[in-house]
């Protein structure tokens, strides 16, 4: 299983970024693919997850209404569109995958067994 994130960068508060997670090495359909972030000195936080089986989505309260997760099953790629970014969104964002339920894994990111290398998002005020 390989997960490769891209799209991170530095933006000002209120700006937007789109992260991509390109997957390979497993049958995409049926997996839960999540985005988990970790800021320095803080615990990992599940922010969004999509079930590739039925495209249902889950979001943490901290990003609901600002972030949108989507998937292109044909390409095996998951996206995270991040709008109205705030300085508190600054973190390393990881793509994670496993055969789990999104509503569970977003609260317990350790449920994901497969992780990408992460991409840095920095939001300045």
């Amino acid at each position: 299983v390989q997960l490769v994130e891209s799209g991170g960068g530095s933006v000002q508060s209120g700006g937007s970024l789109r992260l991509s997670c390109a997957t390979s090495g497993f049958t995409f359909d049926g997996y839960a693919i999540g985005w988990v972030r970790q800021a320095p000195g803080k615990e990992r936080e599940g922010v969004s997850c999509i079930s590739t089986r039925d495209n249902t989505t889950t979001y943490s309260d901290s990003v609901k209404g600002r972030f949108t997760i989507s998937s292109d099953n044909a390409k095996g790629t998951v996206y995270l569109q991040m709008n109205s970014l705030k300085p508190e969104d600054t973190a390393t964002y990881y793509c994670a995958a496993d055969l789990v339920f999104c509503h569970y894994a977003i609260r317990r990111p350790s449920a994901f067994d497969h992780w990408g290398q992460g991409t840095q998002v920095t939001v300045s005020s």
Side-chain angles (χ1 to χ4, degrees):
V1 176
Q2 278 199 317
L3 307 170
V4 180
E5 304 96 334
S6 61
S10 297
V11 295
Q12 291 192 327
S13 182
S16 298
L17 284 172
R18 189 174 85 150
L19 305 183
S20 297
C21 173
T23 74
S24 62
F26 66 102
T27 302
F28 189 77
D29 189 30
Y31 270 70
I33 312 291
W35 287 97
V36 179
R37 67 186 181 187
Q38 187 166 27
K42 294 188 176 181
E43 292 187 357
R44 290 184 300 187
E45 176 192 10
V47 297
S48 187
C49 184
I50 187 166
S51 168
T52 59
R53 181 183 303 109
D54 56 12
N55 280 340
T56 56
T57 58
T58 307
Y59 299 93
S60 66
D61 288 342
S62 61
V63 306
K64 197 173 295 182
R66 299 187 298 121
F67 291 11
T68 303
I69 192 170
S70 61
S71 73
D72 184 332
N73 287 24
K75 293 183 178 179
T77 301
V78 171
Y79 305 96
L80 186 68
Q81 178 67 44
M82 305 186 296
N83 297 330
S84 302
L85 282 161
K86 305 174 182 180
E88 51 263 45
D89 294 318
T90 295
T92 300
Y93 284 71
Y94 297 91
C95 178
D98 215 319
L99 292 167
V100 293
F101 290 109
C102 274
H103 69 272
Y104 175 79
I106 200 169
R107 295 194 304 272
R108 295 176 181 266
S110 59
F112 290 113
D113 273 347
H114 310 290
W115 294 78
Q117 83 287 350
T119 186
Q120 178 67 35
V121 171
T122 302
V123 185
S124 58
S125 56

